[in-house]
Amino acid sequence: AQTVTQSQPEMSVQEAETVTLSCTYDTSESDYYLFWYKQPPSRQMILVIRQEAYKQQNATENRFSVNFQKAAKSFSLKISDSQLGDAAMYFCAYRSADNNNDMRFGAGTRLTVKP
Amino acid sequence: DGGITQSPKYLFRKEGQNVTLSCEQNLNHDAMYWYRQDPGQGLRLIYYSQIVNDFQKGDIAEGYSVSREKKESFPLTVTSAQKNPTAFYLCASPGRVKGAPVYFGEGSWLTVV
C-alpha cells in the first residue's frame, strides 16, 4: 500500500518569508498524482497544487510551488511571501493512476505564520 | 454548482445512541469516501465506496456502518459500538478523470455528551 509521510507536525514562518513543507511517499507505481491540500481553521479542505508524476516540471500556483523529486519520492511544498492567511494545516496526498479510487493522505503539517 | 453536501454540521450524541451523518453529491462521481479527523490530526479512512451497492472498510471501520443505495448518497452511521466517536467527519469524492483532485464536503462535528 502506498504511504505518505509528513515528518514535520508543526512549522512556523515569519510573514513575508518563505517556508518549505516536506512530504515523502512510498510507492511501486510509476504513474501517479500528488497533491497538497490546505485546511484552514474552518476545516474546509482546499486544493493548493497538483503534480503529475510523469511531468518533470515542478508545478507552480502563484506563491505556491513544489519540488518534486521522483527518484527520491519526495514532494515538498514551498510557500513564498507567506501571508497570515496561509496559516493552516497542510496535507500531502497521493493518488494512484492505476487505481483511480486509491488515495492516501499524510498526517499533516500545521503551519503558523507570525506577523 | 456541483459539490458535496454534508449534514448536519454539528451533532451531539448521547452514550449508547446511533447517529447518521449525511453525505450527498451532485458531481456524478462513482466513488465516495468517509474520513475521520481528530483534533490536530490527519485524515483516517473509515469506509469507501467505488460503486452503488458496494463499499469496503477502510483503516478504522469498527463501530461504523455505511450504505450506498444511490450514487448520490453515502450516509455514515456511527454506532454505539464506536467507543470514542467525538471527532470531525469529512466526506469526499475523487474526480472521475484520472488524476483529478478529491472533492470534499464541509464536514460534520460529532460530540458525545
Side-chain angles (χ1 to χ4, degrees), chain B residues 20-63:
Chain B
T20 297
L21 307 180
S22 170
C23 178
E24 303 281 329
Q25 57 105 350
N26 61 1
L27 300 165
N28 198 30
H29 289 177
D30 293 313
M32 297 182 75
Y33 289 63
W34 274 107
Y35 290 95
R36 169 178 171 147
Q37 187 178 27
D38 292 285
Q41 303 297 312
L43 307 178
R44 292 190 289 168
L45 183 64
I46 305 172
Y47 267 99
Y48 65 100
S49 168
Q50 297 185 1
I51 197 169
V52 174
N53 293 322
D54 185 58
F55 48 83
Q56 286 80 40
K57 293 181 180 180
D59 301 319
I60 56 164
E62 185 176 351

Side-chain angles (χ1 to χ4, degrees), chain B residues 50-112:
Chain B
Q50 297 185 1
I51 197 169
V52 174
N53 293 322
D54 185 58
F55 48 83
Q56 286 80 40
K57 293 181 180 180
D59 301 319
I60 56 164
E62 185 176 351
Y64 299 96
S65 66
V66 293
S67 63
R68 188 84 188 278
E69 298 176 1
K70 298 187 302 181
K71 188 176 188 178
E72 301 79 16
S73 179
F74 190 42
L76 173 74
T77 297
V78 184
T79 74
S80 56
Q82 172 49 241
K83 298 306 179 187
N84 185 22
T86 296
F88 184 68
Y89 292 86
L90 273 168
C91 180
S93 181
R96 301 179 77 188
V97 173
K98 182 177 170 180
V102 171
Y103 294 79
F104 288 89
E106 293 188 345
S108 294
W109 282 99
L110 173 62
T111 303
V112 173

Side-chain angles (χ1 to χ4, degrees), chain A:
Chain A
Q2 286 67 244
T3 58
V4 179
T5 302
Q6 293 179 248
S7 59
Q8 307 153 316
E10 296 183 357
M11 292 283 285
S12 67
V13 63
Q14 205 71 34
E15 194 176 5
E17 298 290 308
T18 296
V19 64
T20 299
L21 308 184
S22 300
C23 173
T24 59
Y25 56 94
D26 182 29
T27 184
S28 59
E29 299 177 332
S30 59
D31 192 12
Y32 49 87
Y33 301 84
L34 298 165
F35 305 85
W36 278 99
Y37 283 88
K38 171 186 178 180
Q39 188 183 43
S42 68
R43 294 273 181 156
Q44 178 69 47
M45 294 285 279
I46 302 166
L47 175 67
V48 175
I49 202 163
R50 171 185 178 271
Q51 175 78 42
E52 185 173 344
Y54 268 100
K55 287 189 176 179
Q56 293 185 341
Q57 185 174 5
N58 290 322
T60 300
E61 287 289 340
N62 301 314
R63 297 182 295 107
F64 298 87
S65 61
V66 299
N67 183 4
F68 174 49
Q69 301 289 330
K70 190 172 185 179
K73 297 179 182 176
S74 170
F75 182 60
S76 61
L77 175 70
K78 186 171 83 171
I79 306 174
S80 303
D81 186 26
S82 296
Q83 300 176 359
L84 295 178
D86 294 334
M89 195 79 159
Y90 287 83
F91 292 98
C92 178
Y94 171 104
R95 187 172 185 190
S96 170
D98 294 334
N99 179 358
N100 206 30
N101 294 317
D102 181 5
M103 185 150 186
R104 295 281 170 170
F105 290 85
T109 296
R110 181 170 300 282
L111 178 66
T112 302
V113 181
K114 299 178 181 179

Side-chain angles (χ1 to χ4, degrees), chain B residues 5-20:
Chain B
T5 302
Q6 289 186 239
S7 63
K9 190 166 180 65
Y10 300 96
L11 185 61
F12 297 89
R13 190 194 93 168
K14 294 182 180 179
E15 294 281 353
Q17 276 186 339
N18 293 352
V19 293
T20 297

